[in-house]
Amino acid sequence: QVQLVESGGGLVQAGGSLRLSCAASGRTFSSDVMGWFRQAPGKEREFVAAISRSGGRTNYADSVKGRFTISRDNAKNTVYLQMNSLKPADTAVYYCAVAVLRPVITARPSDYDYWGQGTQVTVSS
């Protein structure tokens, strides 16, 4: 059974940093694209970042480019999201997701097969 467990969320002041982690289990994820999405109250889930199977390629939403960094450790089956220069607009529940055996990174939620339960990130002004 595939499980994704996010951690690292919390309350931070604007300009601060957080590092999210997503520990995956139930399969070997080195063959899978992994991504981060977020959903703010009253809004649709949106793409944040994705990383290729080897970690050599990444893709970011325009709203987080230059501030967020996605990385992965395949030996630990874990994906990370380093978030710097946080803004109140970054407040949302953050979800990690896995696109099984996908050859290229994707920003479409429908391409992802498994999702975590989410972790709340709140940025105060």
Side-chain angles (χ1 to χ4, degrees):
Q1 182 179 358
V2 174
Q3 283 191 319
L4 303 174
V5 179
E6 301 98 335
S7 60
L11 174 64
V12 64
Q13 288 188 333
S17 298
L18 284 173
R19 188 192 194 206
L20 305 184
S21 299
C22 173
S25 62
R27 60 177 278 108
T28 301
F29 292 90
S30 57
S31 298
D32 304 331
V33 166
M34 301 188 79
W36 286 96
F37 293 78
R38 67 187 182 187
Q39 187 167 18
K43 295 187 177 181
E44 293 187 354
R45 189 170 298 189
E46 65 173 0
F47 170 75
V48 175
I51 189 166
S52 64
R53 295 179 289 186
S54 68
R57 293 189 178 183
T58 57
N59 187 26
Y60 297 92
D62 288 342
S63 58
V64 307
K65 278 182 183 176
R67 300 188 298 122
F68 290 12
T69 303
I70 188 171
S71 61
R72 66 190 294 166
D73 185 337
N74 285 340
K76 296 181 179 180
N77 268 358
T78 301
V79 64
Y80 306 96
L81 186 68
Q82 177 67 44
M83 305 186 295
N84 299 328
S85 302
L86 282 162
K87 306 174 181 180
D90 295 317
T91 295
V93 177
Y94 283 71
Y95 300 89
C96 71
V98 174
V100 174
L101 298 176
R102 189 152 191 94
V104 295
I105 54 179
T106 173
R108 294 189 304 184
S110 60
D111 288 336
Y112 288 79
D113 302 284
Y114 299 101
W115 295 80
Q117 83 289 347
T119 185
Q120 177 70 47
V121 171
T122 302
V123 184
S124 63
S125 57

